[in-house]
Amino acid sequence: MNRVVITGQGTINALGKNVAETLTAMSNSTCGIGPLDFPNVDRLSVQIGGQIQKYKAQDWFGRQELSLYDPFTQYAVIAANEAISQSGLDFSDELSLNTGVVLGTAGGGLVTQDQNYRSVYEDGKNRVHPFVVPRLMNNAAASHVSMIHGLRGPSFTVASACASSNHGMGQAYHMIRSGMAKVMVTGGSEAMLCFGGMKAWEGLRVMSKDGCRPFCATRNGMVQGEGAAVFVFEEYEHAKARGANILAEMIGFAMTSDASDIVMPSRTGAANTIRLALKDANVTPEDVGYINAHGTATAANDKTECAAIRDALGVAADKVMVSSTKAMHGHIIGGTGGVELLAVIAAVKDNMIAPTINHVKTDPECNLDVVPNVARQKRVKVAISNAFAFGGMNAVLAIKAI
Amino acid sequence: MSVENKIIAIIAEQVFLEPGEVPPTATLEELGVDSMALVECIFAIEEQFEVQVPFNANQPNASGFDISSVKSIVAAVEVLILEQKQ
């Protein structure tokens, strides 16, 4: 089996418009969550979110591109450009055929759908823009990334709600491990901060009106975010031969299905997935220094996840650092695992442990070291990233320093 | 139909009972109303009575909207109707 390393990373999210800004914000405990700004926000009962500040699409793209790029595609393209540029890869003919794109998203072109439903239902128009379908389709982001960079290998889009990014990156990892591809551009993106996207979430009554406080006794729900993070995964020998700057090594992946409830998390399902990821990575619970938790700040997720971490790690759970960066960037749904992998890489590469901000009161049901409020500098050998999605679909990634 | 009878009908539908099988003193737990059925009941109450119910599934008891029994829900909805339909 081939070894897989990460040689590029890129992002845009509420904390920053690139990786450096995002990691600085994480290490400074910056909160990217604030009042939402889009049409009809006054008709929402929840009006906060992790929106990308001062984002103007026309600063990044031309008119022709914008006629084809929904915001979820824009974010993915911005992140992919940064990641590919950092990797220094030149996609010559042969490498082009051996490089694919697997991106996660849950809502796809939701903003495009929202705008066009409004146009035909509310405004009574009988005609929509000719590119509505290619804008809204869930694979638009992966397709545009492949087109821009000429990547002709295995490409598709994964949709598994909040685990989409982790599932996507897991597939990319397996493709390189098995020899199906040499390089994979992978991660995820989401742009759900529009009236229809938020209104749908309101129905479930699981969102907080005042802030995201994972693992805190005062937590009262999740807060939505938006953005993308994209990575370059590369076969180790290929990266070594060209003298690439290797950020970290992907060492394990596991995915399972709870097969029990469409929204409630499962302690057993989560614990099994963590155990399987460690087994796949061939590491012990004691090796794991940091867990980037799913940590949505709902009552149900956080206590279930903490119990699952204890089940999976045993006594090693007393020592492991666990944080949820969603308190800073919000829950980026299908893109969240991507943005969270930035924190996981920073943990093994720079020994920067991103904090769980907004922590005011310990919850006895979340009695792990949740790295409250302040980032830490601590050496970490192995780190894992949890994603436990609605629908009971779980995906855990494991990485280590190189 | 009274507010109580309408609410009993809403809850009964969620748990596959006849309205006659839902005593006003019953708790939601006794009736088998799980978290998803509860969110659906609240949605149906909002639609039926044209009110906004302050309810967050993460803090079911924090909103002041008392969901401990059928009776308490009826009382809370009657208050909301008075407050919000003026």
Side-chain angles (χ1 to χ4, degrees), chain A residues 297-355:
Chain A
T298 62
N301 176 81
D302 293 6
K303 68 175 180 191
T304 308
E305 184 169 11
C306 287
I309 289 171
R310 285 210 173 272
D311 290 347
L313 266 61
V315 289
D318 285 324
K319 294 216 173 110
V320 72
M321 295 176 283
V322 180
S323 75
S324 168
T325 49
K326 287 186 177 75
M328 296 187 273
H329 52 67
H331 192 337
I332 311 176
I333 314 293
T336 211
V339 173
E340 288 160 31
L341 194 69
L342 297 168
V344 183
I345 293 171
V348 298
K349 180 175 155 286
D350 307 324
N351 302 316
M352 190 280 282
I353 311 300

Side-chain angles (χ1 to χ4, degrees), chain B residues 6-66:
Chain B
K6 284 179 182 168
I7 288 173
I8 284 177
I10 287 168
I11 295 171
E13 193 190 349
Q14 281 298 324
V15 289
F16 305 101
L17 293 173
E18 291 302 317
E21 296 171 305
V22 177
T25 50
T27 66
L28 297 191
E29 203 181 353
E30 286 164 0
L31 296 169
V33 178
D34 65 12
S35 61
M36 287 186 77
L38 175 59
V39 173
E40 284 198 82
C41 285
I42 287 171
F43 170 71
I45 288 169
E46 288 182 326
E47 288 286 288
Q48 171 113 54
F49 299 105
E50 293 182 2
V51 294
Q52 290 266 350
V53 177
F55 178 80
N56 177 340
N58 295 288
Q59 301 172 300
N61 305 315
S63 60
F65 185 83
D66 186 353

Side-chain angles (χ1 to χ4, degrees), chain A residues 89-154:
Chain A
L89 280 165
D90 169 26
F91 297 103
S92 61
D93 272 0
E94 201 201 328
L95 188 59
S96 161
L97 280 168
N98 278 308
T99 302
V101 186
V102 180
L103 296 180
T105 186
L110 202 69
V111 171
T112 297
Q113 295 195 40
D114 194 54
Q115 285 167 346
N116 286 281
Y117 280 138
R118 192 189 291 273
S119 165
V120 293
Y121 292 137
E122 189 177 317
D123 304 340
K125 291 199 174 158
N126 277 329
R127 187 183 299 121
V128 296
H129 190 276
F131 301 156
V132 170
V133 168
R135 267 177 74 102
L136 66 77
M137 60 192 195
N138 279 35
N139 59 324
S143 295
H144 284 294
V145 169
S146 77
M147 286 156 59
I148 292 165
H149 298 280
L151 312 177
R152 296 182 289 156

Side-chain angles (χ1 to χ4, degrees), chain A residues 65-262:
Chain A
E65 291 165 318
L66 286 177
S67 71
L68 284 163
Y69 295 1
D70 179 273
F72 98 103
T73 296
Q74 298 169 25
Y75 303 156
V77 167
I78 290 168
N81 287 350
E82 184 186 2
I84 290 170
S85 160
Q86 181 184 23
S87 76
L89 280 165
D90 169 26
F91 297 103
S92 61
D93 272 0
E94 201 201 328
L95 188 59
S96 161
L97 280 168
N98 278 308
T99 302
V101 186
V102 180
L103 296 180
T105 186
L110 202 69
V111 171
T112 297
Q113 295 195 40
D114 194 54
Q115 285 167 346
N116 286 281
Y117 280 138
R118 192 189 291 273
S119 165
V120 293
Y121 292 137
E122 189 177 317
D123 304 340
K125 291 199 174 158
N126 277 329
R127 187 183 299 121
V128 296
H129 190 276
F131 301 156
V132 170
V133 168
R135 267 177 74 102
L136 66 77
M137 60 192 195
N138 279 35
N139 59 324
S143 295
H144 284 294
V145 169
S146 77
M147 286 156 59
I148 292 165
H149 298 280
L151 312 177
R152 296 182 289 156
S155 299
F156 59 95
T157 294
V158 176
S160 53
C162 317
S164 304
S165 275
N166 274 21
H167 275 122
M169 293 188 290
Q171 297 318 301
Y173 169 57
H174 278 175
M175 284 177 177
I176 298 175
R177 201 153 83 153
S178 68
M180 188 177 178
K182 275 265 180 273
V183 175
M184 291 297 295
V185 176
T186 185
S189 76
E190 200 72 77
M192 222 175 248
L193 300 182
C194 60
F195 181 73
M198 286 293 286
K199 187 50 88 178
W201 274 102
E202 258 183 34
L204 272 171
R205 293 170 187 268
V206 294
M207 293 195 296
S208 170
K209 293 180 181 184
D210 53 22
C212 180
R213 297 183 295 279
F215 307 119
C216 178
T218 70
R219 70 184 182 276
N220 61 0
M222 56 190 280
V223 174
Q224 308 287 323
E226 66 174 351
V230 174
F231 302 85
V232 174
F233 285 10
E234 188 170 353
E235 192 265 314
Y236 172 65
E237 296 297 339
H238 187 272
K240 202 171 81 173
R242 69 185 185 91
N245 175 28
I246 295 173
L247 306 174
E249 179 172 4
M250 185 68 65
I251 53 170
F253 172 63
M255 52 197 260
T256 70
S257 179
D258 297 337
S260 66
D261 193 284
I262 197 70

